[in-house]
Amino acid sequence: MSSLRTSRTRLVAAAATAVLATLSLSACNDGTGTQDEGSGSSTSPSSATPSPTTASNSPASSAGKAPSAATGSSGAGSAGGAGSAGGATTTTARTPAPKAPAASGKPVTCEGSTTKTVAAPLTRPVNHMLLSVTNTGSKSCYLYGYPAVRFGEAQAVPPVIEDSQPQAVVTLKPGESGYASVNLSATDGSGANGYTAKSLAVYFQGRSGNESVGAGAHPSLPAKGVYVDDSLKVTYWQQSMDDALSW
């Protein structure tokens, strides 16, 4: 019997030893023993930091550079399109060139309804009067030829001084003025059929120069009137006052 008990005791001890060995092996494989210490060493800084080659080719690296490019082209992006590299595309480049203002229309012929005419007798040259015509309309106008003037009840208009013809038709923009001078009478008294006129009408020629066009002007004269005789002459319309007064 004692030998049987001794055998059973040995079997129990061996079984216990096997159980302890199994428990020890499980402890080593559940991450809490030596294997856990090895896992901690695998997360060292040298192994966690990506290599330079990996960083330069990764999407995350490209995303890291995006803010600097976006800053340079943020205005272009808000304008409705992605800019080119380096932010070269801008809002100004995408904005169409401003259109030129619409034209007010083609020039017309100057006449009484779109102009203001002033008649001013002069002391120098003596026996002269200056006609000033100012464009009061919204379009440029042409002063063709010369003024057809009529003093008082005269039936005919005086002739023009041919040598006073300018090289180009006088053109008046809105607000600009053109000029002509009137030789009222002979300075040496040689004129005949003189009289004092107290009213004046000025008519405007068309492009053909054969007839008046539009409304005439009726500038006022001094209360005492002006003296005229049959030496009465006018100049062509001039662009400058000096040119008008040189005749």
Side-chain angles (χ1 to χ4, degrees):
M1 290 294 291
S2 62
S3 61
L4 180 60
R5 289 179 180 175
T6 300
S7 298
R8 288 180 177 178
T9 300
R10 289 177 179 176
L11 288 174
V12 170
T17 301
V19 170
L20 290 175
T22 301
L23 290 176
S24 177
L25 179 62
S26 298
C28 291
N29 292 331
D30 67 356
T32 60
T34 305
Q35 293 297 324
D36 183 66
E37 293 179 0
S39 174
S41 63
S42 66
T43 58
S44 63
S46 60
S47 61
T49 303
S51 65
T53 303
T54 303
S56 63
N57 293 331
S58 67
S61 175
S62 298
K65 295 182 179 179
S68 61
T71 301
S73 60
S74 60
S78 62
S84 60
T89 302
T90 64
T91 303
T92 302
R94 291 178 177 271
T95 303
K99 295 181 178 179
S104 60
K106 294 181 179 180
V108 297
T109 301
C110 300
E111 44 98 4
S113 67
T114 58
T115 59
K116 179 180 180 181
T117 303
V118 175
L122 304 173
T123 55
R124 291 187 180 181
V126 294
N127 298 352
H128 279 61
M129 182 173 69
L130 179 68
L131 293 178
S132 302
V133 174
T134 302
N135 183 357
T136 58
S138 59
K139 300 178 181 180
S140 296
C141 68
Y142 295 129
L143 271 176
Y144 290 110
Y146 56 90
V149 299
R150 182 169 294 172
F151 288 92
E153 300 300 324
Q155 298 300 311
V157 297
V160 66
I161 302 173
E162 291 294 344
D163 290 342
S164 67
Q165 185 172 8
Q167 294 182 351
V169 175
V170 174
T171 304
L172 304 181
K173 295 180 181 179
E176 290 185 340
S177 299
Y179 308 91
S181 64
V182 182
N183 296 358
L184 297 172
S185 59
T187 57
D188 58 3
S190 60
N193 303 314
Y195 64 97
T196 299
K198 294 188 176 183
S199 64
L200 172 63
V202 179
Y203 298 96
F204 299 86
Q205 294 183 356
R207 185 173 183 178
S208 66
N210 295 326
E211 59 184 0
S212 63
V213 297
H218 301 273
S220 60
L221 295 177
K224 65 178 182 178
V226 294
Y227 181 81
V228 297
D229 60 27
D230 57 9
S231 64
L232 184 64
K233 296 180 181 67
V234 299
T235 68
Y236 281 93
W237 291 113
Q238 308 292 327
Q239 199 76 54
S240 73
M241 185 185 300
D242 289 343
D243 290 341
L245 295 179
S246 64
W247 299 96

